[in-house]
């Protein structure tokens, strides 16, 4: 073994050890590995940042923006709403929600699909009393399997396509993964639908600070439009209880009626005083064509390009707001801020927002230009609460995000444009049509994953360039010599599956992908099925909460412990190990072309 090979292996080994220890962030470890590789000369300075300019990073970042725009559109919830009311128990909820998650993961990145549907699942659990722990892990696992179906469904497919480009001169296509992915997804859905009782059913989810704040009910107001009055002629037609929202009063031409009756008629121009949690209010304002408090009340911005932002803040002692109302203080005219909602514990608000006399401890939702907000809050004497996105109504682009994604998928399918360009264009259009603000687009990017891939790409390339992958491939070829090709595929798939929890799924493909190609060549076999085995194994971490961000995402809301993942993950892993290699061999001929 040459010195540079030993050094490359040492850097990878230390990185793997640090990944496994969990004492340092993945991105810090990856950046440190890149720095050491550059300082020792393994990675030339002009190649140090090549990973950050790769198509892989562009495709992943673009897919995350597209997924967030689809989530904000509310289109998925709207389509699922008629179905959700029929799901009364976990036995029906698991197959439906897990199946929808798997299907959605085929068109968007799997973690984005899961993020879209998690709030829907949690809403279902609150209504039916089902434990979140029964639903969220099956949904996470199906997002992993669904992501295997298309190139953009998971990072592992995108990276393995890049490995094929570098080693064979041609990347995988958008749907080259589909037959194997669809078969595994179908078998996986059947398995989770019958094996979900293996999961704990009475775990309490972990609650973040933002979620704790979000549990406080707000009072906001919305004006009945002509469209709403026609579609929902009475209060009962609004079906507010299904969303967890109460109607506390109706203001008709300045007069107020408390506790409006279910058969009370609604007319255009009526102002409804609504009470509920932020997400519940946002669902109602997205579903019913009401004019939310924020609409038609835009405050003046410092610059035309400045974005409007809504934040939560609590009224502290000594605030100029105490004992006054928004109308009396002329909040919009004098301070340049809109009052969108008021939260007050232990008391129901039945007044118009402009007339509510504010008190210390009231939680307000304020809207203003993002640059002016800090100064405004300081002037008013309010303190910001936990950082989180606050949405109360606003314009929803339902059709355009779905249409943009569909066009991007078609362009890729007919090979009219490269995948990176198609999804980059889709992400840009999402912002341009107003489906997503630039702030939201930036926040949708998973910096840790993008840095991890960008930093480790040059390091893995250094292992290949020094001949390290040849060395490992030669050893594997000797071990697998005389073994049936399908068993050789299985060995590589199991290796990738075993490495993924400790090395993370993206670095696993970066390291094992080139090794799989060389191993296949030394065995005189077609490299493509070996690359597929690496991608499949690395994308199927069902045993830990740390190998894939989807599993991490559900850990807190599901109340899962580390060992809970084995309960459902072990049967799924066994299914992939037994069915994956034969499926890959059937779709991708093992004999070289």
């Amino acid at each position: 073994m040459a010195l540079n090979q030993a050094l490359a292996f040492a850097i990878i080994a230390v990185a793997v050890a640090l990944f496994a220890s969990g004492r340092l962030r993945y991105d810090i470890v990856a950046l440190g590995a890149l720095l050491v590789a550059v300082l020792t000369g393994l990675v030339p300075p002009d190649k140090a940042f090549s990973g950050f300019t790769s198509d892989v990073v562009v495709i992943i970042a673009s897919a995350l923006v597209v997924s967030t725009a689809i989530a904000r559109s509310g289109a998925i919830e709207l389509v699922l709403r008629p179905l959700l009311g029929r799901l009364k128990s976990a036995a029906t909820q698991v197959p439906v929600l897990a199946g929808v998650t798997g299907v959605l993961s085929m068109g968007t990145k799997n973690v984005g699909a899961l993020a879209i549907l998690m709030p829907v699942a949690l809403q279902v659990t609150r209504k039916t009393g089902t434990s979140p722990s029964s639903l969220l892990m099956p949904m996470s696992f199906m997002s992993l399997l669904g992501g295997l179906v298309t190139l953009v469904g998971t990072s592992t497919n995108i990276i393995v396509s890049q490995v094929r480009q570098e080693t064979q001169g041609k990347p995988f296509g958008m749907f080259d993964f589909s037959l194997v992915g669809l078969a595994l997804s179908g078998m996986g859905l059947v398995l989770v639908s019958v094996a979900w009782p293996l999961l704990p059913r009475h775990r309490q989810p972990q609650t973040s600070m933002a979620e704790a704040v979000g549990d406080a009910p707000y009072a906001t107001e919305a004006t009945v439009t002509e469209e709403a009055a026609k579609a929902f002629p009475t209060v009962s037609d609004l079906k507010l209880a299904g969303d967890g929202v109460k109607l506390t009063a109706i203001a008709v031409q300045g007069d107020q009626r408390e506790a409006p009756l279910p058969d009370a008629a609604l007319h255009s121009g009526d102002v409804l005083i609504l009470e509920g949690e932020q997400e519940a209010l946002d669902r109602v304002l997205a579903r019913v064509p009401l004019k939310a408090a924020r609409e038609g009340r835009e405050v003046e911005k410092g610059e035309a390009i400045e974005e409007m932002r809504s934040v939560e803040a609590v009224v502290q002692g000594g605030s100029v707001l105490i004992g006054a109302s928004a109308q009396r203080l002329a909040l919009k005219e004098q301070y340049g801020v809109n009052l969108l909602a008021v939260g007050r514990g232990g008391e129901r608000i039945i007044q118009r927002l402009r007339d509510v006399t504010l008190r210390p401890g009231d939680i307000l939702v304020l809207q203003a230009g993002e640059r002016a907000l800090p100064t405004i809050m300081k002037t008013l004497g309010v303190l910001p609460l936990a950082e989180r996105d606050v949405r109360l109504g606003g314009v929803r682009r339902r059709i355009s995000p779905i249409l943009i994604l569909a066009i991007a998928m078609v362009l890729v399918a007919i090979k009219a444009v490269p995948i990176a360009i198609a999804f980059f264009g889709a992400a840009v259009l999402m912002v341009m049509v107003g489906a997503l603000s630039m702030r939201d687009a930036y926040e949708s990017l998973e910096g840790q994953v993008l840095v991890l891939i960008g930093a480790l790409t040059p390091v893995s390339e250094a292992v290949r360039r020094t001949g390290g992958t040849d060395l490992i491939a030669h050893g594997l070829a000797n071990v697998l010599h005389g073994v049936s090709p399908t068993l050789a595929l299985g060995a590589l798939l199991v290796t990738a599956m075993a490495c993924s929890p400790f090395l993370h799924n993206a670095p696993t493909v970066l390291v094992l992908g080139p090794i799989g190609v060389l191993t296949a060549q030394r065995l005189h076999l077609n490299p493509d099925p070996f690359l597929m085995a690496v991608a499949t194994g690395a994308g199927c971490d069902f045993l830990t909460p740390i190998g894939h961000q989807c599993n991490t995402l559900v850990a807190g809301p599901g109340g899962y412990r580390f060992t809970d993942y084995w309960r459902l993950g072990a049967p799924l892993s066994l299914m992939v190990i037994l069915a994956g290699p034969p499926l890959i061999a059937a779709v991708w001929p093992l004999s070289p072309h």
Side-chain angles (χ1 to χ4, degrees):
M1 181 185 298
L3 178 61
N4 58 355
Q5 292 176 344
L7 186 57
F9 286 139
I11 292 174
I12 292 293
V14 172
V16 171
L18 290 174
F19 283 143
S21 71
R23 295 187 177 184
L24 292 175
R25 290 169 53 105
Y26 286 156
D27 45 2
I28 292 294
V29 174
L31 290 170
L34 175 59
L35 179 61
V36 172
V38 171
L39 293 177
T40 56
L42 284 177
V43 175
D46 60 339
K47 300 291 185 182
F49 307 114
S50 60
F52 295 97
T53 60
S54 69
D55 285 357
V56 173
V57 171
V58 173
I59 294 171
I60 293 173
S62 300
L64 289 169
V65 173
V66 170
S67 298
T68 303
I70 298 292
R72 295 290 172 84
S73 73
I76 304 300
E77 294 94 324
L78 195 64
V79 171
L80 290 178
R81 178 174 289 275
L83 180 62
L84 296 178
R86 303 178 182 179
L87 307 179
K88 303 299 183 181
S89 66
T92 56
Q93 294 162 4
V94 169
V96 171
L97 290 173
V100 172
T101 305
V103 171
L104 191 58
S105 297
M106 300 173 191
T108 61
K109 195 171 184 298
N110 49 18
V111 68
L114 182 61
I116 291 171
L117 290 168
M118 271 183 60
V120 177
L122 293 174
Q123 179 186 353
V124 169
T125 62
R126 285 192 291 267
K127 289 182 178 179
T128 62
T130 304
S131 172
S133 60
S134 297
L135 296 182
L136 296 185
M137 192 181 295
M139 291 173 64
S140 175
F141 289 169
M142 281 306 301
S143 73
L144 299 185
L145 290 170
L148 299 177
V149 176
T150 61
L151 178 67
V152 297
T154 177
S155 305
T156 57
N157 287 359
I158 300 171
I159 297 171
V160 87
S161 178
Q162 182 188 40
V163 172
R164 189 179 192 241
Q165 170 76 55
E166 293 172 351
T167 57
Q168 300 182 67
K170 185 179 180 181
F172 283 117
M174 182 71 171
F175 302 104
D176 285 349
F177 305 83
S178 296
L179 291 177
V180 174
L182 284 170
L184 291 176
S185 296
M187 290 185 287
L189 180 59
V190 172
L191 198 154
V192 300
S193 297
V194 298
W196 65 266
L198 296 173
L199 295 170
R201 305 188 202 180
H202 304 291
R203 292 281 174 79
Q204 293 297 319
Q206 299 175 9
T207 304
S208 67
M209 181 61 72
E211 291 169 333
V213 172
D215 288 340
Y218 286 122
T220 190
E221 60 185 41
T223 305
V224 178
T225 62
E226 291 186 9
E227 181 185 359
K230 293 178 181 178
F232 305 91
T234 67
V235 169
S236 61
D237 294 322
L238 294 173
K239 298 181 180 179
L240 299 177
D243 289 297
V245 171
K246 298 177 181 178
L247 177 61
T248 62
I250 302 177
V252 182
Q253 297 180 348
D255 298 326
Q256 295 186 5
R257 284 184 294 168
E258 296 184 22
L261 298 175
D263 60 352
L266 298 177
H267 305 92
S268 178
D270 289 353
V271 177
L272 309 181
I273 312 300
L274 304 171
E275 181 184 80
E277 297 176 11
Q278 183 260 145
E279 290 184 358
L281 291 169
D282 190 53
R283 285 196 298 270
V284 169
L285 294 173
R287 175 174 60 84
V288 182
L290 300 171
K291 184 178 179 181
R294 69 191 301 163
E295 298 178 39
R297 295 172 55 182
E298 290 290 327
V299 294
E300 185 177 346
K301 296 183 289 187
E303 298 180 15
I305 61 172
E306 186 178 357
E307 293 183 357
M308 300 299 293
R309 189 179 179 192
S310 300
V311 298
E312 296 166 304
V314 62
V315 179
Q316 58 178 336
S319 169
V320 297
L321 299 173
I322 296 175
S325 65
Q327 186 175 47
R328 199 181 315 161
L329 284 174
L331 274 183
K332 179 181 176 182
E333 295 77 14
Q334 185 173 344
Y335 295 95
V337 63
N338 276 332
L339 176 63
L340 302 185
V342 178
R344 178 177 294 169
E347 182 178 334
R348 177 166 293 176
I349 294 175
I350 60 174
Q351 301 167 281
R352 296 285 303 272
L353 292 183
R354 67 191 183 196
D355 299 324
V356 175
T357 300
L358 301 174
R359 304 174 184 173
D362 284 349
I363 298 176
L364 314 179
V365 177
L366 302 174
Q367 179 197 48
E370 59 181 348
R371 296 183 182 179
L373 262 174
T375 302
I376 291 172
M377 288 191 290
K378 184 177 181 181
T379 302
L380 293 177
V382 297
L383 292 174
L385 295 180
E387 181 72 20
R388 70 184 182 116
D389 185 35
V390 180
R391 298 191 305 277
L392 288 173
V395 178
R396 295 280 185 130
R397 309 293 184 188
R398 295 197 187 281
I399 304 300
S400 53
I402 303 296
L403 184 61
I404 290 170
L405 175 60
I407 292 173
M409 298 281 282
V410 170
L411 290 175
V412 170
I414 64 176
K415 300 182 179 179
V417 295
I419 296 169
I421 297 300
F423 273 80
F424 172 74
V428 172
L429 286 174
M430 293 291 187
V431 177
M432 292 181 67
V433 302
L436 204 64
S437 69
M438 277 305 300
R439 168 182 288 275
D440 292 333
Y442 284 127
E443 290 180 351
S444 71
L445 302 178
E446 294 181 27
Q448 182 175 354
V449 175
L450 298 177
V451 168
L452 182 71
I453 295 170
L456 285 185
T457 296
V459 177
S460 63
E461 174 62 21
V463 176
R464 185 187 66 81
R465 192 173 53 253
T466 59
T469 52
D470 291 277
L471 195 64
I472 297 174
H474 180 73
L476 276 176
N478 288 336
V479 172
L480 298 174
H481 182 71
V483 173
S484 74
T486 304
L487 286 179
L489 274 183
L492 202 58
L493 185 148
V494 171
T495 301
M497 189 179 286
C499 289
S500 187
F502 307 104
L503 190 57
H504 198 273
N505 58 340
T508 295
V509 179
L510 286 170
V511 173
L512 290 182
I515 292 173
V517 171
L518 290 173
T519 301
Q521 291 171 347
R522 290 184 180 276
L523 293 173
H524 306 291
L525 298 171
N526 180 14
D528 286 342
F530 284 78
L531 285 173
M532 285 287 174
V534 170
T536 302
C540 291
D541 173 29
F542 305 121
L543 301 179
T544 73
I546 59 174
H548 197 283
Q549 56 267 43
C550 287
N551 292 351
T552 306
L553 189 62
V554 300
Y560 299 122
R561 298 169 185 166
F562 195 97
T563 53
D564 289 336
Y565 287 80
W566 284 76
R567 300 189 184 198
L568 187 58
L572 270 176
S573 297
L574 184 61
M575 179 204 77
V576 172
I577 291 170
L578 294 177
L583 281 170
I584 294 171
V587 174
W588 295 88
L590 284 162
S591 58
H593 301 297

